[in-house]
């Protein structure tokens, strides 16, 4: 028999999973609280025990996405020895994650508005920018990246470029072949690589 703590955790998980599915399909604005309650099979009081309002539940969904994205990036880079290639593969993994049909509407289209820019930016750093900064620092240390300045600022700039690309890929009616945007990402990082030595 489940304990009270286990039942509480199960209720919270059902609310998040149900809300995530509805937000993904219909968007935040078009998803009513009643639809979430009905889908999760819980009463309004149970929801407010866990979340102050629908926006707080939406933020919990976004936090879940952050928790899923980090392992995806790590899996794409764990066997890559070259730091520059690791940056490329990690960035591609991030783009593939955030442009999934079940993620892009929540993270790219609704989250900046629902959460507010400051909170969304803080979560965005957690979602991918921190890993990007660490990758930049590793590439600089190995000499495979040429840049004079703050790794944090470079990570911010490159993350902005990747976010812009993700928004473009998520835009309705946009069809950019995967090989094209993957090459664009590779070229972005290779632009910071030192020139090859003569005869190399």
């Amino acid at each position: 028999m489940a304990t009270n703590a286990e039942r509480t955790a199960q209720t919270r998980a059902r609310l998040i999973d149900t809300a995530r599915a509805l937000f993904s399909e219909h968007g935040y604005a078009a998803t009513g609280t009643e639809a979430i309650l009905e889908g999760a099979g819980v009463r309004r009081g149970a929801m407010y025990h866990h979340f102050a309002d629908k926006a707080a539940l939406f933020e919990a969904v976004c936090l879940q996405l952050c928790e899923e994205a980090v392992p995806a990036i790590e899996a794409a880079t764990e066997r890559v020895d070259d730091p520059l290639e690791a940056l490329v593969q990690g960035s591609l993994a991030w783009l593939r994650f955030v442009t999934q049909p079940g993620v892009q509407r929540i993270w790219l289209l609704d989250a900046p508005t629902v959460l507010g820019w400051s909170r969304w930016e803080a979560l965005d750093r957690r979602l991918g920018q921190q890993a990007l900064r660490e990758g930049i620092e590793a590439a600089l240390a190995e000499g495979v990246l040429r840049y004079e300045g703050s790794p944090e600022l470079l990570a911010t700039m490159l993350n902005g470029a990747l976010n812009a690309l993700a928004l473009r890929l998520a835009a309705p009616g946009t069809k950019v072949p995967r090989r094209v945007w993957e090459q664009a990402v590779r070229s972005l990082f290779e632009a910071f690589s030192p020139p090859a030595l003569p005869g190399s």
Side-chain angles (χ1 to χ4, degrees):
M1 181 178 294
T3 65
N4 285 337
E6 289 171 338
R7 286 193 294 271
T8 297
Q10 290 167 1
T11 298
R12 189 177 191 278
R14 283 204 309 276
L15 284 164
I16 292 174
D17 291 344
T18 301
R20 178 172 173 173
L22 291 171
F23 291 149
S24 173
E25 182 177 358
H26 304 293
Y28 177 83
T31 298
T33 301
E34 288 299 331
I36 297 172
L37 295 175
E38 182 178 349
V42 303
R43 296 182 178 180
R44 186 175 294 271
M47 173 179 163
Y48 290 134
H49 173 74
H50 294 281
F51 306 103
D53 51 25
K54 188 176 76 167
L57 177 54
F58 181 84
E59 181 169 346
V61 170
C62 290
L63 286 169
Q64 186 182 72
L65 295 179
C66 291
E67 292 170 359
E68 293 174 6
V70 173
I73 295 171
E74 291 175 345
T77 59
E78 62 182 355
R79 296 184 180 181
V80 181
D81 294 327
D82 177 51
L84 184 60
E85 183 62 23
L87 277 171
V88 172
Q89 293 303 323
S91 298
L92 292 176
W94 178 85
L95 278 166
R96 287 192 290 267
F97 180 84
V98 298
T99 55
Q100 294 177 89
V103 176
Q104 64 181 22
R105 187 168 195 169
I106 295 172
W107 183 254
L108 296 174
L109 304 181
D110 283 345
T113 301
V114 177
L115 300 178
W117 179 256
S118 295
R119 181 56 177 157
W120 180 82
E121 188 179 35
L123 290 180
D124 186 52
R125 288 196 297 270
R126 178 173 172 178
L127 182 68
Q129 186 172 329
Q130 181 176 341
L132 183 58
R133 190 201 71 234
E134 292 170 354
I136 288 170
E137 290 172 344
L140 288 171
E142 290 292 327
V144 296
L145 203 67
R146 182 180 60 179
Y147 171 75
E148 295 182 5
S150 164
E152 180 69 30
L153 286 179
L154 181 58
T156 299
M157 290 187 290
L158 292 175
N159 188 62
L162 293 171
N163 273 325
L165 176 57
L167 285 168
R168 171 69 185 277
L169 297 176
T174 299
K175 293 184 179 180
V176 181
R178 179 168 169 171
R179 60 179 176 77
V180 172
W181 61 260
E182 286 188 349
Q183 183 56 50
V185 171
R186 182 172 296 279
S187 297
L188 174 65
F189 286 100
E190 288 179 349
F192 288 91
S193 62
L197 296 175
S200 62

